[in-house]
Amino acid sequence: GEPYSWSYDYAVLAVPAALIIAGVADRTPSVRAPILAVLAFVWVALPWTLYLHAHRTGEEPAAAIVPVGVLALLIAAYRLRVSPTPA
């Protein structure tokens, strides 16, 4: 999981992450895999990287990009969901 990084608690991103996963669940592996890989990076690896950077520098403003990244993935998953599936 992700760290509790000072004023940002990424646990609240579980709902958007679930919506992203549901949004690409019925897509082909070639569509689903990249979205899920980016989600794993944005929701797990990126917060830890930013946490370590913030711990080293004492500043955490960059941590605000995590919710923005999850939002971008949610929008992408929604667009994939409403677009027609290839026959």
Side-chain angles (χ1 to χ4, degrees), residues 38-68:
V38 172
L39 175 61
F41 174 76
V42 169
W43 195 34
V44 178
L46 185 60
W48 276 106
T49 302
L50 294 173
Y51 173 77
L52 294 173
H53 174 72
H55 184 68
R56 190 181 56 213
T57 63
E59 297 178 6
E60 65 168 327
I65 67 172
V66 172
V68 173

Side-chain angles (χ1 to χ4, degrees), residues 15-34:
V15 172
L19 291 172
I20 292 166
I21 293 166
V24 297
D26 62 346
R27 295 299 168 162
T28 64
S30 63
V31 172
R32 185 175 54 242

Side-chain angles (χ1 to χ4, degrees), residues 26-27 31 76-86:
D26 62 346
R27 295 299 168 162
V31 172
Y78 174 77
R79 290 181 61 111
L80 286 170
R81 190 89 186 141
V82 296
S83 67
T85 49

